[in-house]
Amino acid sequence: MIHAHKPDEDGYDLWLRYVPIEDMSLLHTYRAAITNIMQPSGSLTLNIAQNELVRGLEGLLGVLIPLTNTLTPGAIVLGKPTFAKLETESIGDEGYIITSTQGVIVIAGNTDIGVLYGVFHFLRHLQTHQSLENLPIISAPKLKYRVLNHWDNLDGTIERGYAGFSFWDWHKLPDYLSPRYTDYARAVASIGINGVTLTNVNANALSLTPQYLQKAVALSDLFRPYGIRVYLSARFSAPIEIGGLKTADPLDADVIAWWQTKAEEIYRYIPDFGGFIVKANSEGQPGPHDYQRSHSDGANLLAHALAPFGGIVIWRAFVYANENPEDRTKQAYDDLVPQDGKFEKNVLLQVKNGPLDFQPREPYHPIFGAMPNTSLVLEVQMAQEYLGLATHMVYMAPLFKETMDAETCDGPLAQTITGMAGVANTGSDRNWCGHPFGAANWYTFGRLAWDYTLSSEAIAHEWLRMTFSNAPRFVQMATEMMLTSREAPVNYMTPLGLHHIMARSHHYGPGPWVTGGRADWTSPYYHQADSEGIGFDRTPFGSNAISQYCSPYREQLSNRDTCPENLLLWFHHVNWQYILMSGRTLWNELCFKYNEGVAQVRQMQAAWDSLAEFVDAARFEHVRALLVIQEKEACWWRDACLCYFQTFSKLPIPAEYEQPTESLEYYMNVQHYFVPGIPESRF
Ligand code: BDP
């Protein structure tokens, strides 16, 4: 392997890596066009924009670009100079225009935040070696709310966090501000994210006490000039836990008054507080159902309290209950769709991409397009809870886009939403996301929330060029690898529409045999394997979940022969001998898919090995070692699942494939302790 002679990097700089441009002719062109920066006057945000520009240009061009007060050719001007006629109406409050006029580069926005976003775009332009001839660039976000959701607990652990511990140092806040907060804010702003929820949706009411609010103030003060609003998760029973009330009934006068007072208090601390995110009546969390009230009663209670201050309530649609005998994937729709139009204007319903729970592949959630009178937010998960934790390389842009491009009852899904939320995959690991490619998903989230028309390929190109190298062979091969990496885990974990067959609780590794305890947390509930076949019948002969989709998609799904094969076992119980489009029987296709997944990981390994000359040894080796783990675990998934399903099909794994090395009993007895991402008490 020929290694690159590049200094080792640890990934801390993420995509904001301002390394010298090696292409000499490009460097000369840039240097000739950029000779000084007109010092902007004014706000903290403009100072940040200016500092980022100076820092970025110094790194990229290898020279310190001086700040000036008089306008000369070769200047970069931040703001709206009078000499440039700029049509800024279309870019709204957050958009920007980057243009070149009279030998000057102008980065303009209607607001300072717009200018900051423009500066980050301009630096990206240079980092990805784009021509300065390709101006103007005019850009504005397509979605209003672009919110990163941290599932961080006050004790420093992170629910489903695989990149270390929380970097919110609650103990030392508000007095000590880690420099990491600033770098976090730069990264977040650079991709246009305009809100962060600091705390886990499985909320601790303490985060709403003055003691913790003072800590949140320090973070929100730091984030404000970066255009980032802070949100907190609110525990529905907080009036009882920290308010001393006997009830949290949303129609109780004392409860109403308590939340009003609480909202006033929060806004005294954080004048631009974004609002609450609430997980209610789901997985044991308290909520309005505890008092026989509806979700809209619960959400409106908080919405009324926040409305005078301009805050919003992000109410999660991830609601289901074991006591409800209905198919789990139908419950949220059944409960919430009839409440369309009953939520206050400042309530947003946050809906996961699929109706179950962030599985490697799900159909889109049928709530999208079904609640035209309610603002919806699409929730995706960058933390790889169901995608191999942080050890598997899985580029999620194709997954997110598959959902966003889906045709709902009310048009393309992305056009039915007002916001996007992403469950963060960050932590205290030096490189932020654990896997060196994990940051691509954080990046993708921001980019798609800003502009959902971007292609997976385009986002991969940008990210790779900024994170690793602009070398064409590298960009092309690594992009292919990233694009393959979405389908690989689907194949080696849950092909053909299988879902929820991972190990219990920590979700690390296969567990198609998991039984016992509440039914909707077991695997057979979902795969329904028996001697006849496998798959969950969601047609009118089964749970009829397909009735929640519109025609013609509904009919397409309901017919086994027209149902997309990648969702076949999500919607149908299919005979082992059923013939698929490949001409193979279902059983043989399952064997094929599981093996294809492993083969894809091996392809990714071979591709990466051929790219050593483009990447510093430290990051190269890190990725290489993680791919070894991924290959091992892909085989583990394949062998365990095929051994298990074979007990129903009673058919051989075709001889052309690798055969399992261990017995089913062996796989069933594999135990893992202290898997990251789950508090010890849950074991
Ligand atoms: C599930 C996770 C659980 C989360 C829950 C949620 O297993 O830890 O609390 O989602 O989204 O995927 O609320």
Side-chain angles (χ1 to χ4, degrees), residues 151 159-160 162 200-202 279 282-283 285 316 318 320 328 352 356-359 379 381 385-386 423 505 507 521 677-679 682:
W151 284 1
E159 174 126 4
R160 311 306 175 180
Y162 308 107
N200 191 356
V201 288
N202 296 321
K279 172 174 175 179
S282 168
E283 302 186 328
Q285 295 299 312
R316 293 180 83 236
F318 182 64
Y320 68 100
R328 172 173 158 190
K352 290 189 181 183
L356 184 55
D357 191 5
F358 300 137
Q359 298 300 293
E379 178 177 322
Q381 188 187 43
E385 176 181 358
Y386 299 102
V423 179
S505 177
H507 302 163
W521 285 355
I678 183 157
R682 292 261 203 105

Side-chain angles (χ1 to χ4, degrees), residues 577-611:
Q577 298 297 346
Y578 179 74
I579 305 289
L580 283 108
M581 262 149 46
S582 61
R584 284 184 278 268
T585 62
L586 175 64
W587 169 251
N588 284 350
E589 186 75 8
L590 262 191
C591 296
F592 171 80
K593 286 287 181 193
Y594 272 110
N595 278 282
E596 191 181 30
V598 171
Q600 284 166 319
V601 178
R602 290 177 182 157
Q603 271 166 32
M604 285 154 57
Q605 287 184 289
W608 186 250
D609 285 351
S610 76
L611 297 174

Side-chain angles (χ1 to χ4, degrees), residues 144-147 194-195 197 229-234 263 267 272-278 299 302-315 344-350 375 377 418-419:
K144 183 167 176 198
Y145 297 98
R146 307 177 298 279
V147 185
N194 63 3
T197 64
R229 279 183 161 206
V230 160
Y231 296 73
L232 290 171
S233 50
Y267 280 90
D272 60 348
F273 178 61
F276 294 135
I277 180 163
V278 190
L302 304 178
H304 290 144
L306 296 175
F309 311 98
I312 61 167
V313 175
I314 304 173
W315 195 262
E344 287 296 337
K345 284 274 163 297
N346 59 332
V347 175
L348 280 77
L349 200 60
Q350 182 161 304
S375 297
V377 172
T418 37

